[in-house]
Amino acid sequence: MPHEQIEASAGPAAASPWDDVAVRLRAGGLRWTPQRRTLIEVLREHEGHVTASELIARCKELDGTTTPSTVYRALDLLEELGLVKHGHGHDGREEYHILPQQVHGHLYCVGCGSTWEIRPETAAVIVDALASQLGFAVDLSHVTISGLCAGCHD
Amino acid sequence: MPHEQIEASAGPAAASPWDDVAVRLRAGGLRWTPQRRTLIEVLREHEGHVTASELIARCKELDGTTTPSTVYRALDLLEELGLVKHGHGHDGREEYHILPQQVHGHLYCVGCGSTWEIRPETAAVIVDALASQLGFAVDLSHVTISGLCAGCHD
DNA sequence: TTGGTTGCAAACACTTTGCAGCTGA
DNA sequence: TCAGCTGCAAAGTGTTTGCAACCAA
């Protein structure tokens, strides 16, 4: 095998947290299967949140043999590894929050269903308000605000 | 029949918005049935939000003859009247938001699942921030922010 | 080899719908 | 009387579970 460069001991090495999933799985006596590989591929394509249904559909698209139960089980596993966190979206379906790379929040319009990201500076205002007035330490990475967007609001 | 006092033409007459549901229903050619009466009773007991299951269970408890389909249909009706608004809670089940009497929002802790109300003055800060920085007109009555409360946050 | 995994199918929980009979106005 | 309502039961969703076969390590 060819010599490899020595890993940088400092710096933003891990471009994506998905890169070492295989290693982490095996480290726990678990396996790196084609189905799980596919799921990770799909998760790489997303940001923020995805519904289980979307993931299942996309996996089946890429693989064809993947079944819902496998996806659900794999997601449970990934959640245990702390790579995703499940919750429920506004449509009532399982929704997975992909580990947030950066601090931000989401704005959801209950009128049209659209979602926007809240810019950091705006989010800061909200967090400050909640922290100073209610003593509530908000985890910025999971802030979701639902309301009506300008278009749906009179 | 005894003489009744003339209704006050001003002042905070309607103590509860449920008081005139019967009238509003009949005004629309709809009916005031025992099942609907029971549902309203149950709704009176709640504030904020309730899941459909809870409502169904409680109605059956009070009435015994109420069935899920009746409750769901009645809730649809009440939503059309603007008395409740449905959405989906963090457990993924149908959740009904009982008409907000005052402008406020909710704070949901993804750690422990607790819910708090956001005080109007705090909510105002949030709305201002969203309105001025993103041009997003938030419907204050349906603001929900999920994050981690002080107790669950390190 | 062997224990973690997978696919299938059945089980589940919750919500919706069709329909005949009931009932409030 | 007669539309609107109700209860029942069946159909639909989306998610979970049991189990025998399969395969990564």
Side-chain angles (χ1 to χ4, degrees):
Chain A
M1 65 174 71
H3 281 283
E4 293 178 87
Q5 292 204 339
I6 295 172
E7 293 175 77
S9 58
S16 167
W18 304 114
D19 293 343
D20 58 355
V21 178
V23 176
R24 295 184 59 188
L25 282 176
R26 281 192 275 249
L30 304 175
R31 292 172 192 172
W32 185 233
T33 66
Q35 292 82 358
R36 287 176 184 177
R37 185 189 302 271
T38 303
L39 177 57
I40 299 300
E41 286 304 312
V42 174
L43 287 172
R44 276 176 190 279
E45 302 173 351
H46 293 268
E47 282 250 330
H49 29 56
V50 219
T51 61
S53 304
E54 288 177 302
L55 293 175
I56 292 169
R58 186 79 183 108
C59 282
K60 192 163 294 178
E61 207 173 302
L62 292 183
D63 193 311
T65 71
T66 330
T67 57
S69 46
T70 299
V71 176
Y72 281 114
R73 282 185 283 222
L75 286 169
D76 282 350
L77 209 62
L78 293 177
E79 184 160 17
E80 280 175 28
L81 289 181
L83 294 171
V84 298
K85 192 162 166 58
H86 95 287
H88 290 89
H90 293 272
D91 59 347
R93 297 191 172 79
E94 285 276 352
E95 184 173 78
Y96 286 84
H97 291 255
I98 298 175
L99 75 176
Q101 310 271 21
Q102 58 174 18
V103 159
H104 70 276
H106 289 105
L107 211 50
Y108 171 81
C109 176
V110 297
C112 59
S114 304
T115 306
W116 294 266
E117 281 200 356
I118 298 175
R119 292 203 305 265
E121 61 269 28
T122 305
V125 175
I126 295 169
V127 173
D128 285 351
L130 294 172
S132 65
Q133 299 188 34
L134 296 181
F136 192 92
V138 175
D139 172 359
L140 261 182
S141 63
H142 282 287
V143 169
T144 298
I145 295 183
S146 42
L148 288 171
C149 72
C152 294
H153 192 281
D154 284 346
Chain B
M1 65 173 74
H3 280 284
E4 293 178 88
Q5 291 202 343
I6 296 171
E7 293 174 77
S9 56
S16 166
W18 305 113
D19 293 343
D20 59 357
V21 178
V23 176
R24 295 185 60 189
L25 282 176
R26 281 192 274 249
L30 303 176
R31 293 173 190 171
W32 184 234
T33 66
Q35 293 80 358
R36 288 177 183 177
R37 184 189 301 270
T38 303
L39 177 58
I40 299 300
E41 286 302 312
V42 173
L43 287 172
R44 276 177 190 279
E45 303 173 350
H46 293 269
E47 281 252 329
H49 26 57
V50 219
T51 61
S53 304
E54 288 178 301
L55 293 174
I56 292 168
R58 186 79 183 108
C59 281
K60 192 162 293 178
E61 207 174 303
L62 292 182
D63 193 311
T65 72
T66 328
T67 57
S69 47
T70 298
V71 175
Y72 281 114
R73 284 186 282 224
L75 285 170
D76 281 350
L77 208 65
L78 292 177
E79 184 160 17
E80 280 175 30
L81 289 181
L83 294 170
V84 298
K85 192 161 165 61
H86 94 288
H88 290 90
H90 293 272
D91 59 347
R93 296 192 172 80
E94 285 276 351
E95 184 174 80
Y96 286 84
H97 291 255
I98 298 174
L99 76 176
Q101 309 271 23
Q102 57 175 16
V103 161
H104 70 278
H106 289 106
L107 211 51
Y108 171 80
C109 176
V110 297
C112 59
S114 304
T115 305
W116 294 267
E117 281 201 356
I118 298 175
R119 292 204 306 264
E121 61 268 29
T122 304
V125 174
I126 295 169
V127 172
D128 285 350
L130 294 172
S132 65
Q133 299 188 33
L134 297 181
F136 191 93
V138 175
D139 173 359
L140 261 181
S141 62
H142 283 285
V143 169
T144 298
I145 294 183
S146 42
L148 288 172
C149 70
C152 295
H153 192 280
D154 285 345

Coordinates of all heavy atoms in Angstrom, one line a residue, chain A residues 68-123:
Chain A
P68 N -38.4 -0.2 4.6 CA -38.7 0.7 5.7 C -38.1 0.3 7.0 O -37.4 1.0 7.7 CB -40.2 0.8 5.7 CG -40.6 0.5 4.3 CD -39.6 -0.5 3.9
S69 N -38.3 -0.9 7.4 CA -37.9 -1.4 8.7 C -36.4 -1.2 8.8 O -35.9 -0.9 9.9 CB -38.3 -2.8 8.9 OG -38.0 -3.7 7.8
T70 N -35.6 -1.5 7.8 CA -34.2 -1.4 7.9 C -33.8 0.1 8.1 O -32.9 0.4 8.9 CB -33.5 -1.9 6.6 OG1 -33.9 -3.3 6.4 CG2 -32.0 -1.7 6.6
V71 N -34.4 1.0 7.4 CA -34.1 2.4 7.5 C -34.4 2.8 9.0 O -33.6 3.5 9.6 CB -34.9 3.2 6.5 CG1 -34.6 4.7 6.8 CG2 -34.5 2.8 5.1
Y72 N -35.6 2.5 9.4 CA -35.9 2.9 10.8 C -34.9 2.4 11.8 O -34.5 3.1 12.7 CB -37.3 2.4 11.2 CG -38.5 3.2 10.6 CD1 -39.3 2.7 9.6 CD2 -38.6 4.5 11.0 CE1 -40.3 3.4 9.1 CE2 -39.7 5.3 10.4 CZ -40.5 4.8 9.5 OH -41.5 5.5 8.9
R73 N -34.5 1.1 11.6 CA -33.6 0.5 12.6 C -32.2 1.2 12.5 O -31.6 1.4 13.5 CB -33.5 -1.0 12.3 CG -34.7 -1.7 12.9 CD -34.6 -3.2 12.9 NE -34.9 -3.7 11.5 CZ -35.6 -4.8 11.3 NH1 -36.2 -5.5 12.3 NH2 -35.8 -5.2 10.0
A74 N -31.8 1.5 11.3 CA -30.5 2.2 11.1 C -30.6 3.6 11.7 O -29.6 4.0 12.3 CB -30.2 2.2 9.6
L75 N -31.7 4.2 11.6 CA -31.8 5.6 12.1 C -31.8 5.5 13.6 O -31.2 6.4 14.3 CB -33.1 6.2 11.6 CG -33.1 6.7 10.2 CD1 -34.5 7.1 9.7 CD2 -32.1 7.9 10.0
D76 N -32.4 4.5 14.2 CA -32.3 4.4 15.7 C -30.9 4.3 16.1 O -30.5 4.9 17.1 CB -33.1 3.1 16.1 CG -34.6 3.3 16.1 OD1 -35.0 4.5 15.9 OD2 -35.3 2.3 16.2
L77 N -30.2 3.5 15.3 CA -28.8 3.3 15.6 C -28.0 4.6 15.6 O -27.2 4.9 16.4 CB -28.2 2.3 14.6 CG -27.1 1.4 15.1 CD1 -27.5 0.6 16.2 CD2 -26.6 0.6 13.9
L78 N -28.2 5.3 14.5 CA -27.5 6.6 14.3 C -27.9 7.6 15.4 O -27.1 8.4 15.8 CB -27.8 7.2 12.9 CG -27.3 6.4 11.7 CD1 -27.8 7.0 10.4 CD2 -25.8 6.3 11.8
E79 N -29.1 7.5 15.9 CA -29.5 8.4 16.9 C -28.7 8.0 18.2 O -28.2 8.9 18.9 CB -31.0 8.3 17.2 CG -31.4 9.3 18.2 CD -32.9 9.6 18.2 OE1 -33.6 8.7 17.6 OE2 -33.4 10.6 18.7
E80 N -28.5 6.7 18.4 CA -27.7 6.3 19.6 C -26.3 6.8 19.5 O -25.6 7.1 20.5 CB -27.7 4.8 19.7 CG -29.0 4.3 20.4 CD -29.1 2.8 20.4 OE1 -28.0 2.1 20.4 OE2 -30.2 2.2 20.3
L81 N -25.8 6.9 18.3 CA -24.4 7.4 18.1 C -24.4 8.9 18.1 O -23.4 9.5 18.0 CB -23.9 7.0 16.7 CG -23.6 5.5 16.5 CD1 -23.1 5.2 15.1 CD2 -22.6 5.0 17.6
G82 N -25.6 9.5 18.2 CA -25.6 11.0 18.3 C -25.5 11.7 17.0 O -25.2 12.9 17.0
L83 N -25.7 11.0 15.9 CA -25.5 11.6 14.6 C -26.8 12.2 14.1 O -26.8 13.1 13.3 CB -25.0 10.6 13.6 CG -23.6 10.1 13.9 CD1 -23.3 8.9 13.0 CD2 -22.6 11.2 13.7
V84 N -27.9 11.8 14.6 CA -29.2 12.4 14.2 C -30.0 12.4 15.5 O -29.7 11.8 16.4 CB -30.0 11.6 13.1 CG1 -29.2 11.5 11.8 CG2 -30.4 10.2 13.6
K85 N -31.1 13.2 15.4 CA -32.0 13.3 16.6 C -33.4 13.3 16.0 O -33.7 14.1 15.1 CB -31.7 14.5 17.3 CG -32.3 14.6 18.7 CD -31.6 15.7 19.5 CE -32.4 16.1 20.7 NZ -32.7 15.0 21.7
H86 N -34.2 12.4 16.5 CA -35.5 12.4 15.9 C -36.5 13.2 16.6 O -36.4 13.5 17.8 CB -36.0 11.0 15.7 CG -36.9 10.5 16.8 ND1 -36.4 10.2 18.0 CD2 -38.2 10.3 16.9 CE1 -37.4 9.8 18.8 NE2 -38.5 9.8 18.2
G87 N -37.5 13.6 15.9 CA -38.6 14.4 16.5 C -39.8 14.2 15.6 O -39.8 13.3 14.8
H88 N -40.7 15.2 15.7 CA -41.9 15.1 14.8 C -42.1 16.4 14.2 O -42.2 17.4 14.8 CB -43.1 14.6 15.6 CG -43.0 13.2 16.0 ND1 -42.4 12.8 17.2 CD2 -43.2 12.0 15.3 CE1 -42.4 11.5 17.2 NE2 -42.9 11.0 16.1
G89 N -42.3 16.3 12.9 CA -42.5 17.6 12.1 C -44.0 18.1 12.2 O -44.8 17.5 12.9
H90 N -44.2 19.1 11.5 CA -45.5 19.7 11.5 C -46.6 18.9 10.8 O -47.7 19.2 10.8 CB -45.5 21.1 10.9 CG -44.7 22.0 11.8 ND1 -45.2 22.7 12.9 CD2 -43.4 22.3 11.9 CE1 -44.3 23.4 13.5 NE2 -43.1 23.2 12.9
D91 N -46.1 17.9 10.1 CA -47.1 17.0 9.4 C -47.3 15.8 10.2 O -48.1 14.9 9.8 CB -46.6 16.7 8.0 CG -45.2 15.9 8.0 OD1 -44.6 15.9 9.1 OD2 -44.8 15.3 7.0
G92 N -46.7 15.7 11.3 CA -47.0 14.6 12.2 C -46.2 13.4 12.0 O -46.3 12.4 12.7
R93 N -45.3 13.5 11.0 CA -44.5 12.3 10.7 C -43.1 12.3 11.4 O -42.7 13.4 11.8 CB -44.3 12.1 9.2 CG -45.6 11.9 8.5 CD -45.3 11.5 7.0 NE -46.6 11.2 6.4 CZ -47.5 12.0 5.9 NH1 -47.2 13.3 6.0 NH2 -48.6 11.6 5.3
E94 N -42.5 11.2 11.5 CA -41.2 11.2 12.1 C -40.3 12.1 11.3 O -40.3 12.1 10.1 CB -40.6 9.7 12.0 CG -41.2 8.7 12.9 CD -40.5 8.8 14.3 OE1 -39.5 9.5 14.5 OE2 -41.1 8.1 15.2
E95 N -39.5 12.8 12.0 CA -38.6 13.8 11.3 C -37.2 13.6 12.0 O -37.1 13.5 13.2 CB -39.1 15.2 11.5 CG -38.4 16.2 10.8 CD -39.1 17.6 10.9 OE1 -38.9 18.2 12.0 OE2 -39.7 18.0 10.0
Y96 N -36.2 13.6 11.2 CA -34.9 13.4 11.8 C -34.1 14.7 11.6 O -34.0 15.2 10.5 CB -34.1 12.2 11.1 CG -34.7 10.9 11.7 CD1 -35.8 10.3 11.1 CD2 -34.1 10.4 12.8 CE1 -36.4 9.2 11.7 CE2 -34.6 9.2 13.4 CZ -35.8 8.6 12.8 OH -36.3 7.5 13.3
H97 N -33.5 15.2 12.6 CA -32.7 16.4 12.6 C -31.3 15.9 12.4 O -30.8 15.1 13.2 CB -32.8 17.2 13.9 CG -34.1 17.8 14.1 ND1 -34.4 19.1 13.9 CD2 -35.3 17.2 14.4 CE1 -35.7 19.4 14.1 NE2 -36.3 18.2 14.4
I98 N -30.7 16.3 11.3 CA -29.3 15.9 11.0 C -28.4 16.8 11.9 O -28.7 18.0 12.0 CB -29.0 16.1 9.5 CG1 -30.0 15.1 8.8 CG2 -27.6 15.8 9.3 CD1 -29.9 15.2 7.3
L99 N -27.5 16.2 12.5 CA -26.6 16.9 13.4 C -26.2 18.3 12.9 O -25.7 18.4 11.8 CB -25.4 16.1 13.8 CG -24.3 16.0 12.7 CD1 -23.1 15.3 13.3 CD2 -24.9 15.4 11.5
P100 N -26.6 19.3 13.6 CA -26.3 20.7 13.1 C -24.8 21.0 13.1 O -24.1 20.8 14.1 CB -27.1 21.5 14.1 CG -27.4 20.7 15.3 CD -27.1 19.3 14.9
Q101 N -24.4 21.5 12.0 CA -23.0 21.8 11.9 C -22.7 23.2 12.4 O -21.7 23.6 12.8 CB -22.6 21.8 10.4 CG -22.9 20.5 9.7 CD -21.8 19.5 9.8 OE1 -21.0 19.6 10.7 NE2 -21.8 18.6 8.9
Q102 N -23.8 24.0 12.2 CA -23.6 25.4 12.6 C -24.9 25.8 13.4 O -25.9 25.3 13.2 CB -23.5 26.3 11.4 CG -24.6 26.2 10.5 CD -24.5 27.2 9.3 OE1 -23.5 27.7 9.0 NE2 -25.7 27.4 8.7
V103 N -24.7 26.8 14.2 CA -25.7 27.3 15.0 C -26.7 28.1 14.1 O -26.4 29.0 13.5 CB -25.1 28.3 16.1 CG1 -26.2 29.2 16.6 CG2 -24.5 27.4 17.2
H104 N -27.9 27.6 14.1 CA -29.0 28.3 13.4 C -30.3 27.8 13.8 O -30.5 26.9 14.6 CB -28.8 28.1 11.9 CG -29.1 26.7 11.5 ND1 -28.2 25.7 11.5 CD2 -30.2 26.2 11.0 CE1 -28.7 24.6 11.1 NE2 -30.0 24.9 10.8
G105 N -31.4 28.5 13.4 CA -32.7 28.1 13.7 C -33.6 28.0 12.5 O -33.1 28.2 11.4
H106 N -34.8 27.5 12.7 CA -35.7 27.4 11.5 C -37.0 28.1 11.8 O -37.5 28.2 12.9 CB -36.0 25.9 11.3 CG -34.8 25.2 10.7 ND1 -34.1 24.3 11.5 CD2 -34.2 25.2 9.5 CE1 -33.1 23.8 10.7 NE2 -33.1 24.3 9.5
L107 N -37.5 28.6 10.7 CA -38.7 29.3 10.7 C -39.7 28.5 9.8 O -39.3 28.2 8.7 CB -38.5 30.7 10.0 CG -39.3 31.9 10.5 CD1 -39.2 32.1 12.0 CD2 -38.6 33.1 9.8
Y108 N -40.8 28.1 10.4 CA -41.7 27.3 9.7 C -43.0 28.0 9.5 O -43.6 28.5 10.5 CB -41.9 26.0 10.4 CG -43.1 25.2 9.9 CD1 -42.9 24.4 8.7 CD2 -44.3 25.2 10.4 CE1 -43.9 23.6 8.2 CE2 -45.4 24.5 9.9 CZ -45.1 23.7 8.8 OH -46.2 22.9 8.2
C109 N -43.5 28.1 8.3 CA -44.8 28.8 8.0 C -45.9 27.8 8.1 O -46.0 26.9 7.2 CB -44.8 29.5 6.7 SG -46.4 30.3 6.4
V110 N -46.8 28.0 9.0 CA -47.9 27.0 9.1 C -48.9 27.2 8.0 O -49.8 26.4 7.8 CB -48.7 27.1 10.5 CG1 -47.7 26.8 11.6 CG2 -49.2 28.6 10.6
G111 N -48.8 28.3 7.3 CA -49.7 28.6 6.2 C -49.3 27.8 4.9 O -50.1 27.1 4.4
C112 N -48.1 28.0 4.5 CA -47.7 27.4 3.2 C -46.7 26.2 3.4 O -46.3 25.5 2.5 CB -47.0 28.4 2.3 SG -45.6 29.2 3.0
G113 N -46.3 26.0 4.7 CA -45.4 24.9 4.9 C -43.9 25.1 4.6 O -43.1 24.2 4.7
S114 N -43.6 26.3 4.1 CA -42.2 26.6 3.8 C -41.3 26.7 5.0 O -41.8 26.9 6.1 CB -42.1 27.9 3.0 OG -42.9 27.9 1.9
T115 N -40.1 26.5 4.8 CA -39.1 26.6 6.0 C -38.0 27.5 5.6 O -37.5 27.4 4.4 CB -38.6 25.2 6.3 OG1 -39.6 24.3 6.5 CG2 -37.7 25.3 7.5
W116 N -37.6 28.3 6.5 CA -36.4 29.2 6.2 C -35.5 29.0 7.4 O -35.8 28.6 8.5 CB -36.8 30.6 6.2 CG -37.7 31.0 5.1 CD1 -37.4 31.6 3.9 CD2 -39.2 31.0 5.1 NE1 -38.5 31.8 3.1 CE2 -39.6 31.5 3.8 CE3 -40.1 30.5 6.0 CZ2 -40.9 31.5 3.5 CZ3 -41.4 30.6 5.6 CH2 -41.8 31.1 4.4
E117 N -34.3 29.4 7.1 CA -33.3 29.4 8.2 C -33.3 30.8 8.8 O -33.5 31.8 8.1 CB -31.9 29.1 7.7 CG -31.7 27.6 7.4 CD -30.2 27.3 7.4 OE1 -29.4 28.2 7.5 OE2 -29.9 26.1 7.3
I118 N -33.1 30.8 10.1 CA -33.1 32.1 10.8 C -31.6 32.5 10.8 O -30.7 31.7 11.2 CB -33.6 32.0 12.2 CG1 -35.0 31.6 12.2 CG2 -33.4 33.3 12.9 CD1 -35.6 31.3 13.6
R119 N -31.3 33.7 10.4 CA -29.9 34.1 10.4 C -29.4 34.2 11.8 O -30.1 34.5 12.7 CB -29.8 35.4 9.7 CG -30.1 35.4 8.2 CD -29.4 36.5 7.5 NE -29.8 37.8 8.0 CZ -30.8 38.5 7.5 NH1 -31.5 38.1 6.5 NH2 -31.0 39.7 8.1
P120 N -28.1 33.8 12.0 CA -27.5 33.9 13.3 C -27.8 35.1 14.1 O -28.1 35.1 15.3 CB -26.0 33.7 13.0 CG -26.0 32.9 11.7 CD -27.2 33.4 10.9
E121 N -27.7 36.3 13.4 CA -27.9 37.5 14.2 C -29.3 37.6 14.7 O -29.5 38.2 15.8 CB -27.5 38.7 13.4 CG -28.2 38.9 12.1 CD -27.6 38.3 10.9 OE1 -26.9 37.2 11.1 OE2 -27.8 38.8 9.8
T122 N -30.2 37.1 13.9 CA -31.6 37.2 14.4 C -31.8 36.2 15.5 O -32.5 36.5 16.5 CB -32.6 36.8 13.2 OG1 -32.3 37.7 12.1 CG2 -34.0 37.0 13.6
A123 N -31.2 35.0 15.3 CA -31.4 34.0 16.4 C -30.8 34.5 17.7 O -31.3 34.2 18.7 CB -30.6 32.7 15.9

